[in-house]
Amino acid sequence: MAELCYNHKVPIIPFGTGTGLEGGVTAVQGGVCFNMTRMDKILNLNTDDFYVTVEPGVTRKSLNSYLRDSGLWFPVDPGADASLCGMAATSASGTNAVRYGTMRDNVINLEVVLSDGRILNTAGKDRNFRKTSAGYNLTSLFVGSEGTLGIITKTSLRLYGVPEAMMSAVCAFPSVQAAVDSTVQILQCGIPIARIEFLDDVMVDACNKYNGLSYHTLPTLFLEFHGTESGVREQVQQTEEITQLNGGSDFTWARDQEERSKLWTARHNAWYAALALRPGCRGYATDVCVPISKLPEIVMKTKKDLLESELTGPIAGHVGDGNFHCIMVLNVDDKDEVSRVKAFTDRLARRALALNGTCTGEHGIGLGKRSLLVEEIGEVGIATMKQIKATLDPQNIMNPGKVI
Amino acid sequence: MAELCYNHKVPIIPFGTGTGLEGGVTAVQGGVCFNMTRMDKILNLNTDDFYVTVEPGVTRKSLNSYLRDSGLWFPVDPGADASLCGMAATSASGTNAVRYGTMRDNVINLEVVLSDGRILNTAGKDRNFRKTSAGYNLTSLFVGSEGTLGIITKTSLRLYGVPEAMMSAVCAFPSVQAAVDSTVQILQCGIPIARIEFLDDVMVDACNKYNGLSYHTLPTLFLEFHGTESGVREQVQQTEEITQLNGGSDFTWARDQEERSKLWTARHNAWYAALALRPGCRGYATDVCVPISKLPEIVMKTKKDLLESELTGPIAGHVGDGNFHCIMVLNVDDKDEVSRVKAFTDRLARRALALNGTCTGEHGIGLGKRSLLVEEIGEVGIATMKQIKATLDPQNIMNPGKVI
């Protein structure tokens, strides 16, 4: 099928769950959409070596359901229940990345259909080792390529043992600065925190309303600790010392699975909670990421910019990675508002770039950030990416018009 | 200068410390050797965001000396005091990879001189963030490219806080199987061990003689634990339970810096200790890596093969990654021995490939493993690597004849 498209120069757009946020599945030059949802087998679960291979129809939640009795889990968790191959294509991450890394760190091998129909196994067929220095790192080249170099048809993933103990907590702060300062200090102390998520007051309010919760409408951190029973106790103690020095509230605890699940469901529903603030409006999430020491500055400036621009953009972020989202909720029929949102998101991206950051921590470039990518990576970087694209997809049929 | 070579089609071979093990710096097609040793500045140490940038003349030991008072360190430690840019080019690792990852995991950004003299910053100039999904992962493409795609002239590295507590131990086992089984079980229990190094009886004997030590000449694990005081105590207790169930000896402890340093110096000197077994002979280190569950099988078979082939090849390995080396000590004037070594190393590599492993965990492909790379990665993989090489180095002047 891919070969047929190649021979007739017909664009190929792979479709997983359609949960991407940067227009990756739009057919800007027409073509054939390859719907992968029915290729949904889980293959080769290896509980001794901690890996599994999945087809493109398998989502992160369905994999973790499948793993439930194995003592293993896969930690990368974008907001949506995305397909794992799509997550590999996007270089996705989520709330656990501060401890467990992103898709870049957790994909071991890929099966990819190249533009001319040949099948590539990026690390060699059926290979699943912990490290290698054999030739160019093709796996990492395809992770984050957003379908522009080939179609990912199998992904081998690193799995982790379910921690002996897990504990979640919520902590409110008197100011954004205090919450973000706490985050930076927790990381600088080397506490192996599993999740550290920031929600600003507007986001907490939206989450309360959407999920029937009653957290204080203040800048807030959602935290999670993984480890042994005593290891978790120690992490919590160290963390509480830091948050209290920054004026944080006492921790609200979620110890058992049900309470923890309620807390993190609220976090994962942030997108829908934000949309519910203005019924009938549409959402767009920004996605900048900066060195963690620059977080207080950029978050404070961005809050101020939102107020001055009179825009609704509750902030939720994976602040442990220096990554945060403004969930812009806008009336797309209001041209003035649309142009204010556009100007705001451009300013935000350039603010991140000026602080040595990136215009996208985990959503990808897709359609809308191509010019920002040029600013971020520079002329030589873009030229190098274009050379790679041209040699691996000479007809420009693989998801054309995206990334570069 | 690179541009001049490009215009005259003269090969460029970058030289760091010359400590590579696969002939990476040999000028098989003549050309100009770029000696990088005097470009030895350490730039942009950032203790808030845990990164540093180094020029090609900076070695891993000189960086760690420089970092001594900062509370930070860089953990990747191949046996030699290699240059960090050379380590990036080789995708090197060492004894700490089981906890801290390899160069692939710890390089944030590279400055690379391309074949036509243009300068590429793989993640964009001066960018040092913890995650990104902005375009193709050029950093990972150049890590492990062994000088064949460009000359690495700056490397930005992720740093780590020096752990509050560190403890090292030595544990002897009645059999290779028992030592390797212990390793697999320690990892499967999720103990965040910092180092777990295997030495077979021949290697222990060589280390004793070379370093004036007196460890039992038995299959042995060298272990190291990093964490908080109580965290380390807990890791040690869990690990000792496992080793004792496998018949391991009581731990011999190295608690203070001096004792630990003596132990790990002995481990890092394994190469020289092996050579001292047969004065006047030369050494060659094999470098296979397999999924950890396959380690007992491959190590046992390899020991048997060494005996049957009547070869000297003490084994030392980063078994926590599934990676081990036979340090072949051979009389290069004895043609029969040379051919037996060649046949043995080929059998070993193919044994690893048959167990879904790799022919090189951390030494690279260089000159000698190019045909093994084809077997490992397959025809389509090699073709893809060749396409990338041809497009980024159209004149084939960057370290020609290596990798592919």
Side-chain angles (χ1 to χ4, degrees):
Chain A
M1 182 67 189
E3 203 182 336
L4 205 69
C5 288
Y6 182 80
N7 291 333
H8 293 82
K9 298 192 189 178
V10 176
I12 293 174
I13 299 108
F15 181 92
T17 53
T19 46
L21 294 167
E22 292 296 341
V25 298
T26 51
V28 283
Q29 299 179 18
V32 178
C33 176
F34 281 38
N35 185 335
M36 320 291 279
T37 46
R38 289 207 185 157
M39 293 175 68
D40 61 357
K41 285 199 199 66
I42 296 172
L43 309 162
N44 297 331
L45 170 61
N46 185 317
T47 54
D48 288 334
D49 292 314
F50 288 27
Y51 68 78
V52 70
T53 305
V54 295
E55 289 187 343
V58 180
T59 67
R60 65 174 183 89
K61 285 188 185 169
S62 56
L63 175 63
N64 278 323
S65 296
Y66 181 85
L67 293 174
R68 194 163 291 156
D69 297 327
S70 69
L72 300 176
W73 70 306
F74 183 70
V76 185
D77 65 333
D81 185 22
S83 73
L84 292 151
C85 289
M87 286 161 60
T90 315
S91 191
S93 45
T95 66
N96 291 297
V98 62
R99 169 78 170 263
Y100 298 96
T102 71
M103 290 305 278
R104 291 192 178 195
D105 307 299
N106 289 296
V107 173
I108 302 169
N109 203 345
L110 295 169
E111 182 190 86
V112 178
V113 177
L114 296 173
S115 72
D116 57 6
R118 287 176 307 148
I119 291 172
L120 168 69
N121 295 279
T122 53
K125 192 159 168 50
D126 298 327
R127 306 207 177 278
N128 287 289
F129 28 69
R130 287 175 69 100
K131 72 180 194 189
T132 181
S133 56
Y136 307 151
N137 191 342
L138 298 179
T139 305
S140 288
L141 181 61
F142 281 85
V143 172
S145 64
E146 304 188 35
T148 62
L149 301 178
I151 309 168
I152 297 173
T153 48
K154 274 181 202 156
T155 299
S156 291
L157 297 165
R158 183 171 175 182
L159 302 175
Y160 294 81
V162 174
E164 178 189 318
M166 294 194 242
M167 212 177 257
S168 302
V170 176
C171 181
F173 289 84
S175 67
V176 173
Q177 182 89 41
V180 181
D181 282 349
S182 298
T183 305
V184 175
Q185 290 162 24
I186 288 164
L187 292 168
Q188 286 174 346
C189 284
I191 299 169
I193 200 153
R195 288 165 152 171
I196 182 160
E197 297 281 310
F198 171 76
L199 289 81
D200 76 350
D201 52 338
V202 189
M203 192 75 248
V204 172
D205 188 40
C207 282
N208 279 342
K209 286 175 181 152
Y210 188 78
N211 299 285
L213 298 168
S214 54
Y215 295 124
H216 296 293
T217 49
L218 287 168
T220 297
L221 291 178
F222 282 17
L223 306 148
E224 190 160 275
F225 306 91
H226 293 176
T228 60
E229 289 287 352
S230 64
V232 163
R233 270 199 304 276
E234 193 176 24
Q235 288 179 48
V236 166
Q237 191 200 326
Q238 291 175 311
T239 304
E240 257 190 320
E241 279 171 23
I242 292 168
T243 54
Q244 284 176 358
L245 281 174
N246 286 290
S249 69
D250 288 343
F251 283 4
T252 307
W253 290 105
R255 285 162 213 271
D256 62 18
Q257 172 65 40
E258 198 180 332
E259 278 296 307
R260 286 198 308 107
S261 170
K262 213 162 118 184
L263 193 162
W264 292 108
T265 301
R267 170 63 190 86
H268 277 125
N269 285 341
W271 171 263
Y272 302 102
L275 286 183
L277 288 175
R278 294 178 65 189
C281 285
R282 303 285 286 273
Y284 173 74
T286 68
D287 180 37
V288 301
C289 178
V290 295
I292 52 168
S293 70
K294 306 286 175 56
L295 259 180
E297 177 183 345
I298 193 168
V299 173
M300 295 303 296
K301 282 187 178 164
T302 302
K303 289 278 290 178
K304 189 159 168 276
D305 193 351
L306 280 167
L307 279 174
E308 287 170 1
S309 309
E310 294 178 33
L311 291 170
T312 306
I315 293 178
H318 319 302
V319 282
D321 307 315
N323 181 211
F324 69 93
H325 312 295
C326 303
I327 306 181
M328 307 307 300
V329 187
L330 68 159
N331 176 358
V332 289
D333 298 326
D334 179 341
K335 281 190 183 149
D336 181 62
E337 186 177 356
V338 171
S339 77
R340 275 182 290 133
V341 167
K342 175 80 178 73
F344 166 81
T345 56
D346 282 351
R347 277 196 303 277
L348 173 54
R350 299 217 162 85
R351 198 175 293 137
L353 293 179
L355 294 170
N356 299 334
T358 173
C359 67
T360 177
E362 57 183 14
H363 293 173
I365 295 296
L367 275 173
K369 290 184 185 151
R370 287 171 299 163
S371 63
L372 287 168
L373 179 63
V374 181
E375 293 178 41
E376 177 168 334
I377 199 88
E379 292 295 339
V380 178
I382 288 291
T384 305
M385 290 183 190
K386 283 188 174 166
Q387 283 177 282
I388 293 168
K389 166 75 172 171
T391 192
L392 299 185
D393 179 23
Q395 311 266 35
N396 191 26
I397 59 168
M398 306 308 285
N399 209 3
K402 315 293 164 60
V403 184
I404 52 173
Chain B
M1 180 69 188
E3 202 182 337
L4 205 69
C5 289
Y6 181 81
N7 291 334
H8 294 82
K9 298 192 188 177
V10 177
I12 293 173
I13 298 107
F15 181 93
T17 53
T19 46
L21 294 165
E22 293 296 341
V25 297
T26 52
V28 284
Q29 300 178 17
V32 178
C33 176
F34 280 39
N35 184 334
M36 320 291 280
T37 47
R38 289 207 184 157
M39 291 174 68
D40 61 357
K41 284 199 199 67
I42 296 172
L43 311 161
N44 298 333
L45 170 61
N46 186 318
T47 54
D48 288 333
D49 292 314
F50 288 28
Y51 68 79
V52 70
T53 304
V54 295
E55 288 188 345
V58 179
T59 66
R60 65 174 182 88
K61 284 187 186 171
S62 56
L63 175 62
N64 278 322
S65 295
Y66 181 86
L67 294 174
R68 193 164 291 156
D69 297 327
S70 70
L72 300 176
W73 71 305
F74 183 68
V76 184
D77 64 334
D81 185 23
S83 72
L84 292 151
C85 290
M87 287 162 59
T90 317
S91 190
S93 45
T95 66
N96 291 299
V98 62
R99 168 78 170 261
Y100 299 95
T102 71
M103 289 305 277
R104 290 192 179 196
D105 308 299
N106 288 295
V107 173
I108 302 169
N109 202 346
L110 295 169
E111 181 190 89
V112 178
V113 177
L114 297 173
S115 72
D116 57 6
R118 286 175 306 149
I119 291 172
L120 168 69
N121 295 281
T122 53
K125 192 159 168 51
D126 298 327
R127 305 207 178 279
N128 287 288
F129 28 68
R130 289 175 67 101
K131 72 180 195 191
T132 179
S133 55
Y136 307 151
N137 191 342
L138 298 180
T139 305
S140 288
L141 181 63
F142 281 85
V143 172
S145 64
E146 303 189 36
T148 63
L149 300 178
I151 309 168
I152 296 173
T153 48
K154 275 181 202 154
T155 299
S156 291
L157 297 165
R158 181 170 175 184
L159 302 175
Y160 294 81
V162 174
E164 176 189 319
M166 294 194 242
M167 213 179 256
S168 301
V170 176
C171 181
F173 290 84
S175 67
V176 173
Q177 182 88 42
V180 181
D181 282 349
S182 298
T183 305
V184 174
Q185 290 161 24
I186 289 164
L187 291 169
Q188 286 173 346
C189 284
I191 299 169
I193 200 154
R195 289 166 150 170
I196 181 161
E197 295 281 310
F198 170 75
L199 290 81
D200 76 350
D201 51 339
V202 189
M203 193 74 248
V204 173
D205 189 39
C207 283
N208 279 342
K209 287 175 181 152
Y210 188 79
N211 299 286
L213 299 168
S214 55
Y215 295 124
H216 297 293
T217 51
L218 286 168
T220 297
L221 291 178
F222 282 17
L223 305 147
E224 189 160 276
F225 306 90
H226 293 176
T228 60
E229 289 287 352
S230 65
V232 163
R233 270 199 304 278
E234 191 176 26
Q235 289 179 48
V236 166
Q237 190 201 326
Q238 291 175 311
T239 304
E240 256 189 320
E241 279 172 21
I242 291 168
T243 55
Q244 284 176 359
L245 281 173
N246 286 289
S249 69
D250 287 344
F251 284 4
T252 308
W253 291 106
R255 284 164 214 270
D256 62 19
Q257 171 66 36
E258 199 180 333
E259 278 296 306
R260 286 198 306 108
S261 169
K262 213 163 116 185
L263 193 162
W264 291 109
T265 301
R267 171 63 191 87
H268 277 126
N269 284 342
W271 171 262
Y272 303 102
L275 286 183
L277 288 175
R278 294 178 66 188
C281 284
R282 303 282 287 273
Y284 173 74
T286 68
D287 182 37
V288 300
C289 179
V290 295
I292 53 169
S293 70
K294 305 287 174 57
L295 259 181
E297 178 183 344
I298 193 168
V299 173
M300 297 303 295
K301 282 187 179 166
T302 302
K303 289 280 288 177
K304 189 158 168 279
D305 192 351
L306 281 167
L307 280 174
E308 287 170 1
S309 309
E310 295 178 32
L311 290 170
T312 305
I315 293 176
H318 319 303
V319 283
D321 307 315
N323 180 211
F324 68 94
H325 312 296
C326 303
I327 305 181
M328 308 307 301
V329 187
L330 67 159
N331 176 357
V332 289
D333 298 326
D334 179 341
K335 282 192 183 148
D336 181 62
E337 187 177 354
V338 171
S339 77
R340 275 182 291 132
V341 167
K342 176 78 178 75
F344 166 82
T345 56
D346 281 351
R347 276 195 303 276
L348 173 54
R350 298 217 162 84
R351 198 175 293 136
L353 293 179
L355 293 170
N356 299 335
T358 172
C359 67
T360 178
E362 57 182 14
H363 294 172
I365 295 295
L367 274 172
K369 289 184 186 150
R370 286 170 299 161
S371 62
L372 287 168
L373 179 62
V374 182
E375 293 178 42
E376 178 168 332
I377 199 89
E379 293 294 338
V380 178
I382 289 291
T384 305
M385 290 183 190
K386 283 188 174 165
Q387 282 177 282
I388 292 168
K389 167 75 171 171
T391 192
L392 298 186
D393 178 23
Q395 311 265 35
N396 191 27
I397 59 168
M398 306 309 285
N399 208 3
K402 315 294 165 56
V403 184
I404 50 171

